[in-house]
Amino acid sequence: MSYEEALSKIKNRKDRPLFELLDKYPSTDLMKICEDLINNNFHLKRNFPAINLDMKKQDNIWQLDPLKDRSWRFQLHCLIMMEYLVKGFNVSKDTKVLDKAIAILMNWKDNNYPSSSSEMAWNDHSTALRLIQIANLFETLRIHQYRVETFSDFCFLADIHCSKLADSKFYRQNHNHGFDQDIALYVASQIFNGLPEANEWSSLAIHRIRKQLKHLFAEDGSYREHSPSYGVQLLSRIFKFMEFLKHTENQLNSDLERIVEKHIVFLSHICQPDGRIPNIGDSQPQLINLEKLVANSSMKMPDSIKYAGSKGKDGAPKKQLNKIFPDGGYAVFRNNWKFTSRTVQLVFLASFHSRIHKHHDDLSFTLFAHGIPLLIDAGKYNYNYSSKERQYVVSSRAHNSVIVDGSNTDISRGNIEKSGITDYFISEEVSFVCGVHFLYPGVIHERCIVFLSKMNQVFIFDNLRGKKEHTFEQIFNLSSFLKCSYEGNGMYSGMRNGKKLISIQSLLNNKHHTFFGSKEPMAGWNSLSYSKVSPNYQVVYKAKGFNTKFATHINLQPDQLDTQGIESFSWDTDKDVISFSLKNNINIELQIEKKEKKLMINNELVDVQHISK
């Protein structure tokens, strides 16, 4: 069948909605971007400035790299700028805008098909997102019967892109890129439904989507690729896909709704009290509006999600403040759903499901209180993997965990699943979680956290066992909002505007020191925005030995030590029993056994849940 024959079927089908990848822009901003693009000032995404790229004066704009940025090159070959032009035409009906979009696409084809010198031209992800742009532009032209003579060129481009995405050797199985490949293949199969293999592409895409979703989202609703903001991005994509599916005969929506409902519960817990995603993995601290996300779909917003999303102003709170996501490897403890200066949130990580967006962050945690993040992960920086800043933010030292012999954990594929939550207990006053990883050769790292929600205190217990002597460093990264001072007796305070907001104290008299924006070694840095780093204080406790222990007390009300401080503490190393009491008559005893943990609160044994791994 020729493309001309296929077009008769394509022209006569029902109109399809556009599958938009970008956020909505105000029409005035959108038309300014379109005007810039017509004048060869290329806008990609908000992270990047407009760059002048003249297709007539420059031999091959697709080889350029003016910002020396991998993500910029990626977005260029996704043809993301064409979405601005299509949106701009739908607002203005100015055909010059469509002419520019067609010119960009054909120039890309002339310079990158069948092969290209740019590594991003036929990248697994850019190929998928570019196909969506091709489909959107074609559907816009088809609906308006504009430039019909180019339709065969579009069918040709769709054919070669779909064939590539359908190829099992090109496909990214168990990967968020693969999910976008599936969506692109399905969308194109519906837009270019007259092509001979369209039905096969459609069936293949749906089959793959079901498998990808099982990998991407754990049964407990958590996102398994280690960076919660990418779960938000994927959720937005799923909502758009669900809307697109309504215009087809596919029955996938019920499966998608079940996953979405569970993931929204996960997000309501993992979001900081200020509504931002914590700086975990490759996440940046973006503001998430859960209610707006759900409002863009036909789903009903649960009252508990309204409450979490509105910071307690709307809806009704969940009964459960604290939540364990054992499949995904997250524990989230809070003292309140309503966002006030007293609201505390702790997020604990113990998971290694794949190498995708994976940092050296096992058994790390973040801590939010007093309206701001206090203990943080370093963030993403960017994806220029050779840069020293990127190498630092993914390193073990950039996370609140323990490092061995100054090196990073081994996150090679052979170690996948050698990290996870093993035990937990949840109550209104005391919550407990324990995790373990085997990501340092010959070393077992076990970490237990006790969270006293009404007292705003946290206890961290690290038990490290090795076959030879090692140097161990327990790391705490304070937010850039805080200044740090040493108070004596192994205690450091984090202050803002002269007020102490947090104290960190070693209970085993470990050696200690701090870094602040150090370059040799690189320590005490974080990235809150794209391609930028800021200095922060890093507190380090240090010990040597075969078997080493750290016990650390974190107090979020350091001005109340007289009434809420520690009265006694001991760690019986022979029996591995930790005992401590506080001045307000709370007594805790934690017995660390090889298989299961025993926890006593005020001499009463509680029911600790054990997860077999």
Side-chain angles (χ1 to χ4, degrees):
M1 180 190 292
S2 67
Y3 293 134
E4 287 75 13
E5 292 174 303
L7 278 167
S8 64
K9 183 177 180 181
I10 295 171
K11 287 177 182 177
N12 293 325
R13 64 160 166 76
K14 292 180 180 178
D15 296 347
R16 300 296 191 203
L18 302 186
F19 193 96
E20 297 179 345
L21 299 173
L22 293 169
D23 296 331
K24 291 183 179 179
Y25 272 75
S27 58
T28 51
D29 293 347
L30 181 62
M31 296 317 300
K32 173 64 169 66
I33 291 172
C34 289
E35 183 182 343
D36 280 351
L37 284 164
I38 289 171
N39 292 318
N40 301 316
N41 293 314
F42 277 53
H43 289 259
L44 299 184
K45 292 189 87 172
R46 299 185 193 214
N47 286 338
F48 305 118
I51 302 292
N52 188 267
L53 304 173
D54 193 327
M55 295 182 293
K56 293 181 179 178
K57 293 181 180 179
Q58 294 165 292
D59 289 339
N60 187 349
I61 67 168
W62 310 102
Q63 294 179 336
L64 299 178
D65 188 13
L67 301 181
K68 300 293 185 282
D69 191 288
R70 184 177 183 274
S71 294
W72 185 90
R73 300 194 304 274
F74 166 73
Q75 295 295 343
L76 180 70
H77 282 274
C78 289
L79 302 187
I80 201 72
M81 72 293 290
M82 280 173 33
E83 185 164 320
Y84 294 118
L85 294 166
V86 169
K87 285 183 176 181
F89 171 76
N90 288 328
V91 171
S92 69
K93 299 298 184 282
D94 185 347
T95 56
K96 289 188 299 183
V97 177
L98 286 184
D99 287 337
K100 185 66 177 184
I102 295 169
I104 289 172
L105 177 59
M106 295 310 162
N107 187 272
W108 182 91
K109 171 179 154 300
D110 292 343
N111 285 283
N112 296 286
Y113 177 79
S115 61
S116 174
S117 58
S118 172
E119 88 281 19
M120 287 300 173
W122 294 102
N123 168 273
D124 63 337
H125 203 192
S126 67
T127 301
L129 300 186
R130 182 171 59 248
L131 177 57
I132 291 175
Q133 301 299 345
I134 292 169
N136 285 346
L137 177 56
F138 174 80
E139 186 66 1
T140 303
L141 298 174
R142 190 194 71 84
I143 290 170
H144 295 278
Q145 288 296 300
Y146 182 70
R147 293 281 293 271
V148 176
E149 70 276 8
T150 67
F151 284 12
S152 291
D153 288 331
F154 277 84
C155 286
F156 170 74
L157 282 167
D159 201 346
I160 60 175
H161 277 73
C162 287
S163 296
K164 200 165 189 70
L165 293 177
D167 186 347
S168 60
K169 294 179 181 177
F170 186 74
Y171 182 58
R172 291 299 298 272
Q173 191 172 356
N174 295 337
H175 200 293
N176 68 83
H177 292 187
F179 186 72
D180 276 339
Q181 287 179 313
D182 299 333
I183 289 177
L185 189 60
Y186 185 82
V187 168
S189 75
Q190 303 302 304
I191 299 294
F192 298 95
N193 65 319
L195 295 178
E197 295 180 86
N199 288 337
E200 291 179 31
W201 294 333
S202 173
S203 298
L204 178 62
I206 295 301
H207 171 72
R208 286 174 168 177
I209 282 172
R210 286 195 165 100
K211 292 181 69 175
Q212 287 280 16
L213 290 172
K214 287 181 181 179
H215 166 75
L216 292 168
F217 295 99
E219 188 59 32
D220 58 22
S222 54
Y223 184 61
R224 286 163 50 91
E225 288 190 340
H226 308 111
S227 300
S229 69
Y230 279 82
V232 175
Q233 196 176 103
L234 208 63
L235 186 65
S236 177
R237 196 87 90 228
I238 288 173
F239 279 139
K240 291 176 182 178
F241 189 47
M242 289 167 68
E243 292 301 309
F244 187 86
L245 286 170
K246 288 180 182 178
H247 298 267
T248 73
E249 297 177 0
N250 194 275
Q251 302 299 312
L252 185 62
N253 262 353
S254 59
D255 293 347
L256 293 172
E257 283 185 5
R258 182 180 62 83
I259 289 167
V260 163
E261 286 171 358
K262 288 185 176 183
H263 188 59
I264 287 177
V265 171
F266 169 73
L267 286 176
S268 69
H269 283 273
I270 205 82
C271 272
Q272 294 175 167
D274 64 355
R276 296 182 183 276
I277 290 287
N279 235 27
I280 294 172
D282 282 337
S283 299
Q284 287 184 283
Q286 65 193 99
L287 190 63
I288 303 300
N289 188 328
L290 292 176
E291 193 165 359
K292 183 179 178 183
L293 269 176
V294 178
N296 290 333
S297 77
S298 57
M299 289 181 60
K300 184 182 177 182
M301 177 67 124
D303 278 348
S304 59
I305 305 302
K306 284 183 182 179
Y307 193 88
S310 66
K311 305 173 190 175
K313 296 176 183 176
D314 193 13
K318 295 186 187 116
K319 292 181 179 179
Q320 189 176 20
L321 275 169
N322 301 322
K323 182 79 171 173
I324 305 293
F325 298 90
D327 301 326
Y330 293 88
V332 188
F333 298 152
R334 299 175 70 119
N335 67 349
N336 188 10
W337 274 115
K338 204 164 187 175
F339 180 35
T340 72
S341 61
R342 296 178 178 272
T343 306
V344 177
Q345 182 212 43
L346 183 147
V347 180
F348 175 65
L349 321 170
S351 62
F352 183 14
H353 303 299
S354 71
R355 288 170 50 81
I356 303 160
H357 296 300
K358 176 64 181 167
H359 288 205
H360 302 272
D361 59 358
D362 292 87
L363 308 192
S364 180
F365 70 99
T366 62
L367 186 62
F368 183 102
H370 302 290
I372 59 172
L374 297 181
L375 294 175
I376 60 169
D377 270 4
K380 178 173 79 173
Y381 185 66
N382 64 26
Y383 290 130
N384 293 331
Y385 300 116
S386 61
S387 75
K388 64 181 185 300
E389 291 87 358
R390 172 65 185 180
Q391 290 170 3
Y392 173 74
V393 298
V394 304
S395 72
S396 293
R397 186 170 291 280
H399 301 87
N400 301 311
S401 190
V402 175
I403 63 176
V404 180
D405 298 329
S407 63
N408 289 326
T409 51
D410 179 0
I411 54 173
S412 57
R413 283 184 174 82
N415 278 342
I416 287 174
E417 301 297 348
K418 292 184 180 178
S419 172
I421 291 173
T422 59
D423 303 86
Y424 66 92
F425 168 77
I426 289 173
S427 74
E428 288 187 7
E429 293 192 7
V430 180
S431 292
F432 160 77
V433 66
C434 184
V436 65
H437 80 68
F438 305 86
L439 302 179
Y440 282 111
V443 174
I444 299 171
H445 179 195
E446 188 172 47
R447 167 168 278 187
C448 297
I449 296 180
V450 177
F451 176 66
L452 305 179
S453 58
K454 295 194 174 177
M455 297 181 61
N456 294 342
Q457 299 192 47
V458 181
F459 290 83
I460 312 289
F461 304 112
D462 289 300
N463 195 18
L464 297 118
R465 301 188 293 276
K467 295 180 180 179
K468 63 178 184 180
E469 186 174 78
H470 295 279
T471 298
F472 300 97
E473 294 173 89
Q474 188 191 44
I475 307 294
F476 296 96
N477 287 287
L478 277 72
S479 162
S480 294
F481 294 121
L482 301 177
K483 292 185 177 180
C484 182
S485 68
Y486 180 59
E487 306 293 328
N489 198 28
M491 179 187 291
Y492 288 88
S493 290
M495 297 174 291
R496 190 183 193 196
N497 299 326
K499 183 179 179 180
K500 294 178 182 178
L501 303 183
I502 182 174
S503 66
I504 304 169
Q505 182 177 22
S506 169
L507 301 177
L508 294 177
N509 297 316
N510 298 105
K511 293 180 179 179
H512 50 86
H513 59 274
T514 61
F515 292 107
F516 179 78
S518 170
K519 294 182 179 179
E520 291 294 337
M522 195 162 185
W525 296 94
N526 69 93
S527 178
L528 293 177
S529 55
Y530 187 80
S531 282
K532 294 180 180 178
V533 291
S534 304
N536 64 277
Y537 283 97
Q538 182 181 97
V539 174
V540 181
Y541 295 109
K542 196 170 184 178
K544 286 186 177 182
F546 286 75
N547 301 317
T548 297
K549 303 179 188 305
F550 292 98
T552 310
H553 176 215
I554 297 172
N555 192 339
L556 300 174
Q557 296 177 317
D559 56 342
Q560 297 182 24
L561 287 175
D562 291 343
T563 57
Q564 295 191 3
I566 298 176
E567 196 159 63
S568 65
F569 171 81
S570 67
W571 190 332
D572 185 330
T573 55
D574 293 330
K575 297 179 180 179
D576 251 342
V577 175
I578 300 166
S579 301
F580 61 95
S581 61
L582 299 167
K583 291 180 180 179
N584 63 348
N585 296 321
I586 288 184
N587 303 294
I588 306 285
E589 184 176 294
L590 175 61
Q591 187 171 352
I592 304 175
E593 297 182 343
K594 288 186 178 179
K595 288 188 177 179
E596 299 182 13
K597 308 292 176 279
K598 292 182 180 178
L599 179 65
M600 294 185 70
I601 303 172
N602 291 335
N603 300 316
E604 182 179 339
L605 186 66
V606 299
D607 186 18
V608 173
Q609 300 297 305
H610 178 69
I611 304 169
S612 297
K613 288 188 179 292

